[in-house]
């Protein structure tokens, strides 16, 4: 059972996991190095626990204690109860959802392990916006993508903003980082996947004509907002595909494009 501990000093070292949450660069370095991530809000905290992530501690305002009582009773971790003003001083922002938890990371999967059993994967290159990462993971979970592969410079899926935008979907879609780029794409091809590069380039084939849902194993490649896939990544693809546009629109936000493309890749495929 979690121990309820009231804290009234922002400098208390027990709150170290929650300090400076708005400092993106600091948290980007700290969290993987310290083996933690922050789950925000009741639903996300519950989904992290259901996915098997162990809790290090929880930070709550008093009015959330009853709501989270079952989680508190089950978690063998301290629960720090603070006033909302103190939480804001520690974290750097007003914690609207009233509940934060510091969770332990799990060891990352290897790309080879994920590719062994997957049939539909998404490969992201240089997607470093946490909102886009979260949106893509949420669509991947909803539309039956089996796994996500990330280039070395992609943003952290377990960063607080990514987790929040995904509504915890980052916990349900396994992911791995490719150690080298774009050389790591060879591993995907060798595992029997057809590499489809999503690009607005007019030379690309319309997705509906390619009919990726009929292919045995598909890896859909997505690039960063604005820049898209690099020339080297495009050169490594088996085929270029695009989403047909109307009314003079040249492209979609990468999160929206991902959702459309995921449906095209998985349409008609049985989901579990």
């Amino acid at each position: 059972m979690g121990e309820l501990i009231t804290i009234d000093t922002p400098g208390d070292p027990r709150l170290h996991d929650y300090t400076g949450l708005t400092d993106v660069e600091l948290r980007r370095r700290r969290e993987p190095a310290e083996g933690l991530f922050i789950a925000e809000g009741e639903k996300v905290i519950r989904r992290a626990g259901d996915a098997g992530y162990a809790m290090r501690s929880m930070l709550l305002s008093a009015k959330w204690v009853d709501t989270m009582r079952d989680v508190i009773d089950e978690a063998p971790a301290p629960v720090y109860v603070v006033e909302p003003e103190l939480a804001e001083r520690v974290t750097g922002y007003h914690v609207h959802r009233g509940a934060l938890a510091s969770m332990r990371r799990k060891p990352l999967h290897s790309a080879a392990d994920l590719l062994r059993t997957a049939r539909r994967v998404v490969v992201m290159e240089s997607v470093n916006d946490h909102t886009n990462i979260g949106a893509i993971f949420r669509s991947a979970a909803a539309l039956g993508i089996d796994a996500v592969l990330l280039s070395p410079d992609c943003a952290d899926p377990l960063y607080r903003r990514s987790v929040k935008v995904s509504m915890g979907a980052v916990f349900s879609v396994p992911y791995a980082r490719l150690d080298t780029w774009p050389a790591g794409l060879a591993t995907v091809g060798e595992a029997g996947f057809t590499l489809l590069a999503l690009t607005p380039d007019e030379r690309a084939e319309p997705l509906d004509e390619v009919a990726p849902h009929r292919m045995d194993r598909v890896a859909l490649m997505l690039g960063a907002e604005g820049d898209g896939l690099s020339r080297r990544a495009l050169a490594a693809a088996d085929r270029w595909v695009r989403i047909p546009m109307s009314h003079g629109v040249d492209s979609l936000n990468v999160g929206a494009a991902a959702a459309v493309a995921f449906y095209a890749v998985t349409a008609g495929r049985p989901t579990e």
Side-chain angles (χ1 to χ4, degrees):
M1 175 178 177
E3 179 186 4
L4 288 173
I5 303 168
T6 299
I7 294 180
D8 55 15
T9 305
D12 192 305
R14 290 172 292 186
L15 301 181
H16 175 72
D17 285 2
Y18 305 96
T19 56
L21 293 186
T22 58
D23 189 332
V24 177
E25 288 306 317
L26 173 65
R27 299 302 302 197
R28 185 179 290 170
R29 294 193 303 271
R30 265 192 62 191
E31 293 185 8
E34 296 178 19
L36 67 91
F37 69 92
I38 299 297
E40 180 177 3
E42 177 191 359
K43 288 182 180 179
V44 172
I45 292 171
R46 292 182 184 279
R47 287 172 182 172
D50 290 344
Y53 289 93
M55 186 181 294
R56 291 163 57 109
S57 67
M58 191 154 40
L59 181 69
L60 301 177
S61 57
K63 70 177 184 179
W64 279 87
V65 170
D66 287 344
T67 301
M68 302 299 292
R69 174 58 66 182
D70 60 318
V71 178
I72 294 170
D73 289 346
E74 293 175 7
V79 179
Y80 304 127
V81 181
V82 301
E83 292 296 325
E85 294 78 10
L86 188 143
E88 184 171 353
R89 290 177 65 185
V90 172
T91 63
Y93 73 106
H94 179 61
V95 184
H96 298 282
R97 297 175 185 265
L100 296 169
S102 174
M103 311 296 292
R104 298 187 189 279
R105 291 178 180 245
K106 299 178 184 179
L108 270 182
H109 295 279
S110 73
D113 284 345
L114 295 184
L115 292 170
R116 194 168 294 118
T117 56
R119 287 188 53 225
R120 298 290 184 267
V121 303
V122 57
V123 184
M124 289 191 244
E125 179 188 33
S126 304
V127 179
N128 48 36
D129 181 276
H130 294 103
T131 298
N132 285 334
I133 288 280
I136 291 168
F137 265 87
R138 189 171 185 181
S139 293
L143 296 169
I145 296 296
D146 298 318
V148 175
L149 301 179
L150 305 169
S151 69
D153 57 348
C154 276
D156 179 12
L158 293 182
Y159 180 72
R160 178 176 58 90
R161 179 67 178 165
S162 300
V163 174
K164 183 177 178 180
V165 170
S166 80
M167 288 300 295
V170 293
F171 308 139
S172 57
V173 183
Y175 68 92
R177 286 195 183 270
L178 294 169
D179 294 331
T180 57
W181 188 267
L185 291 172
T187 304
V188 184
E190 290 165 2
F193 286 81
T194 300
L195 285 159
L196 301 181
L198 188 64
T199 172
D201 193 295
E202 61 183 14
R203 293 171 293 178
E205 303 171 80
L207 258 175
D208 53 343
E209 294 180 12
V210 174
H213 63 287
R214 295 197 180 99
M215 296 178 178
D216 183 40
R217 308 185 95 183
V218 176
L220 181 71
M221 300 164 58
L222 301 174
E225 189 78 27
D227 293 337
L229 290 164
S230 67
R231 286 183 295 176
R232 293 193 304 162
L234 288 169
D238 295 308
R239 300 171 76 169
W240 296 6
V241 296
R242 61 182 171 85
I243 299 169
M245 299 285 166
S246 301
H247 301 293
V249 177
D250 59 355
S251 64
L252 297 173
N253 165 277
V254 66
V260 173
F262 293 167
Y263 183 78
V265 165
T266 61
R269 179 182 172 223
T271 56
E272 296 181 1

